[in-house]
C-alpha cells in the first residue's frame, strides 16, 4: 500500500521494504568488516530501534552481544531536545567495543546525551549505528559511524518508528503527508 493512515494523519510510502533490508545488510557487512575480531556489544535503543536491531543482528555472522536500553525525549512530532532518562543497562561496558543502535538521529540531542552517559563508563570503543539520519536537523555534535539512510526533515513512521505509539509494525517507511 502506498498510502496509509496512522491515527489522524495520512502517510505515503518513502522507503520500500526491499530497499531497507538491502541497506541493513550493507551496514551489517561494514560493521563486520570493521569489528571482525572484537566481539562487540550492541546497545539497541528502545522502543524505535527494535526492528532495525533484529534485522541487523540476523545479518551478522561475527560473535557479538546485544542489550537493550531506553531513553525518552520525544513526544508527538516535535523533539523536546532534552534527554529524560537512560534505563536498563545492567552489564558493564568498561573496556568493551560498544555500538549503539538507534532508529533515527534527528536533532542528535538524544544521541549526544547517550554518548556522554556511556563514555563515563569507559568503553574501549563507542560507535553509533543509526537506520536513519536527518542531516538537515542535526544540531548536536555527534559522529555517526554507520547510517543506512539520510532523509529530509519530514516526520516518518514504520519499521520500528511510531507516530504517538502507532505504526511500528509497518514493513516500509512512510512519510507524513503535509496538510493541504
Ligand atoms: P533527536 O534527539 O532529536 O535526535 O531525536 C531522536 C528521537 O526522536 C528518535 O530516537 C526517535 O524516537 C524520535 N524521532 C525523530 N524523528 C522522528 C520521526 O520522523 N518519526 C518518529 N520518531 C522520530
Ligand atoms: Mg528513538
Amino acid at each position: 500500500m502506498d498510502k496509509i493512515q496512522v491515527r489522524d494523519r495520512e502517510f505515503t510510502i518513502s522507503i520500500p521494504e526491499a530497499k531497507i533490508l538491502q541497506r541493513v545488510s550493507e551496514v551489517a557487512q561494514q560493521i563486520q568488516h570493521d569489528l571482525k575480531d572484537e566481539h562487540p556489544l550492541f546497545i539497541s535503543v528502545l522502543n524505535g530501534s527494535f526492528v532495525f536491531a533484529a534485522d541487523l543482528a540476523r545479518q551478522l555472522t561475527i560473535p557479538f552481544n546485544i542489550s537493550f536500553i531506553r531513553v525518552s525525549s520525544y513526544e508527538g512530532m516535535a523533539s523536546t531536545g532534552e534527554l529524560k532518562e537512560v534505563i536498563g543497562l545492567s552489564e558493564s561496558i568498561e573496556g568493551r567495543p560498544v555500538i549503539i543502535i538507534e532508529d533515527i538521529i534527528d536533532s542528535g540531542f538524544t544521541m549526544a546525551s547517550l554518548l556522554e552517559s556511556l563514555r563515563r563508563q569507559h568503553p574501549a570503543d563507542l560507535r553509533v549505528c543509526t537506520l536513519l539520519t536527518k542531516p538537515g536537523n542535526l544540531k548536536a555534535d555527534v559522529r555517526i559511524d554507520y547510517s543506512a539512510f539520510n532523509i529530509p526533515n519530514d516526520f516518518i513512521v514504520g519499521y520500528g518508528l511510531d507516530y504517538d505509539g502507532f505504526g511500528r509494525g509497518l514493513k516500509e517507511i512512510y512519510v507524513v503527508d503535509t496538510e493541504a
Side-chain angles (χ1 to χ4, degrees):
M1 261 202 293
D2 282 2
K3 287 234 176 233
I4 52 146
Q5 170 123 15
V6 181
R7 308 288 270 174
D8 58 338
R9 302 299 293 261
E10 300 211 315
F11 292 80
T12 302
I13 194 158
S14 168
I15 313 176
E17 184 184 12
K19 200 168 162 192
I20 299 172
L21 296 178
Q22 187 204 323
R23 279 298 295 145
V24 171
S25 158
E26 285 167 9
V27 168
Q29 299 318 312
Q30 238 182 307
I31 291 174
Q32 331 217 81
H33 172 265
D34 295 348
L35 291 137
K36 206 170 25 176
D37 304 310
E38 315 241 342
H39 194 159
L41 169 65
F42 290 90
I43 298 181
S44 161
V45 184
L46 297 174
N47 294 331
S49 80
F50 79 109
V51 177
F52 177 39
D55 281 344
L56 188 71
R58 286 176 293 175
Q59 294 294 328
L60 295 166
T61 54
I62 53 166
F64 67 91
N65 297 110
I66 184 162
S67 257
F68 299 85
I69 60 164
R70 246 188 118 115
V71 297
S72 131
S73 71
Y74 211 79
E75 273 155 31
M77 296 203 290
S79 177
T80 58
E82 66 183 75
L83 184 70
K84 284 174 189 154
E85 41 187 348
V86 179
I87 320 161
L89 189 63
S90 46
E91 64 262 71
S92 167
I93 62 166
E94 193 176 331
R96 294 206 62 183
V98 170
I99 305 174
I100 302 170
I101 305 179
E102 182 56 298
D103 52 357
I104 183 163
I105 297 180
D106 185 7
S107 68
F109 288 128
T110 306
M111 187 53 74
S113 326
L114 184 54
L115 284 167
E116 198 188 309
S117 147
L118 294 179
R119 246 180 231 123
R120 270 186 249 123
Q121 300 181 46
H122 307 293
D125 186 27
L126 187 56
R127 296 179 190 223
V128 173
C129 173
T130 184
L131 176 70
L132 301 149
T133 307
K134 291 181 181 169
N137 244 2
L138 201 56
K139 292 179 196 80
D141 179 25
V142 283
R143 194 193 70 219
I144 302 168
D145 301 278
Y146 310 98
S147 174
F149 299 98
N150 283 339
I151 59 165
N153 289 348
D154 312 310
F155 189 82
I156 52 116
V157 77
Y159 197 75
L161 289 101
D162 71 306
Y163 170 44
D164 275 346
F166 291 87
R168 295 193 193 275
L170 295 163
K171 293 189 175 75
E172 310 82 6
I173 290 170
Y174 291 83
V175 62
V176 73
D177 290 346
T178 44
E179 271 159 327

